[in-house]
Amino acid sequence: MLQKLSALQEKVRVRIKEILHERKVLHGRRTMEAMQYMVENPKAHLWRPSLTLLVFEALSRGTHDCQEERSAAALNVACGVEFLHTATLVVDDVFDKSHLRRGRPSCHTQFGNDVAQLAAVQLQNLSVLCFAQSMDLVLAQCTSIEAMVSGEELDITKNEGSTFDLYQKNNLKSQMIVLAAEAGAIIAGADGKNRRIAREYATALGFAYQCQADLYDATGDAALLGQPTGQD
């Protein structure tokens, strides 16, 4: 399984570089450098886009119509998941004033707040382009972004008298993982039942991941984690 995951991660890395190269002439030099700095970080685990591809493969097994084209479309969607995830990391680091991400200076520390925000906007735009293969994909993406914004707002306002619900916050902030799985199901042409199963699986996975992230944030070593602790 680890070998399989490693192969999927490499496919995503290669395709991300191709997409950025294809769009390079349309972006400012510094903005593109910031985008590449973030998404091409060798310490990026790329397990969210890999989840997209795993769900796609599982739910499209046994179907042969235009499989090569569908696989290419799934890879683009997986890259869109990583672009969107990376955009949220850039914004999150600006909010938290975090100066470290994945073992090196965060985007706004390296390039300044203005360029970092432009990079986040362009990464989200690239994600939209990758998802613009069907309205179902776009709607799933919009739903995920709405939930993540709500989760971040809970983080921002938790000490300002708002009701702070850890379960609710972690479910909202894990919607990127739900999107990764559901996108794989959509591009595979899954029916409503299998899309629901993919969402439910990813919801449980995402909640577990967020709980682990909270534990690391509370008790972890920033040097080992490659990012500051005590943020959440």
Side-chain angles (χ1 to χ4, degrees), residues 12-167:
V12 172
R13 282 194 181 91
V14 170
R15 184 58 186 144
I16 280 175
K17 288 184 178 181
E18 291 174 350
I19 292 172
L20 288 178
H21 180 75
E22 290 164 5
R23 310 294 299 183
K24 196 167 188 176
V25 295
L26 302 178
H27 301 304
R29 180 180 62 83
R30 289 291 285 167
T31 301
M32 176 55 73
E33 287 176 358
M35 293 162 67
Q36 291 173 315
Y37 177 82
M38 289 300 294
V39 297
E40 294 181 6
N41 187 326
K43 290 191 176 181
H45 298 298
L46 301 178
W47 67 268
R48 291 168 184 82
S50 298
L51 177 61
T52 300
L53 296 176
L54 286 169
V55 172
F56 167 76
E57 290 183 5
L59 295 179
S60 62
R61 194 170 296 158
T63 61
H64 304 288
D65 294 342
C66 305
Q67 191 64 13
E68 187 173 336
E69 291 87 345
R70 292 171 69 196
S71 295
L75 182 56
N76 282 340
V77 170
C79 291
V81 168
E82 187 62 19
F83 289 141
L84 182 57
H85 171 58
T86 305
T88 67
L89 296 183
V90 174
V91 174
D92 195 45
D93 286 342
V94 171
F95 284 164
D96 292 340
K97 298 180 177 61
S98 297
H99 298 295
L100 195 66
R101 172 65 67 177
R102 292 170 171 168
R104 62 186 188 181
S106 57
C107 190
H108 71 276
T109 302
Q110 185 76 8
F111 295 92
N113 279 351
D114 292 344
V115 172
Q117 290 180 63
L118 288 174
V121 171
Q122 290 288 26
L123 285 167
Q124 184 173 341
N125 184 54
L126 280 182
S127 176
V128 172
L129 291 172
C130 291
F131 273 75
Q133 304 179 40
S134 80
M135 185 55 68
D136 281 352
L137 283 168
V138 173
L139 289 174
Q141 183 187 46
C142 291
T143 300
S144 176
I145 292 172
E146 286 179 343
M148 287 186 292
V149 167
S150 296
E152 287 300 326
E153 184 174 338
L154 280 176
D155 258 355
I156 293 169
T157 61
K158 64 185 178 183
N159 295 319
E160 298 177 7
S162 63
T163 300
F164 185 66
D165 185 327
L166 181 62
Y167 180 83

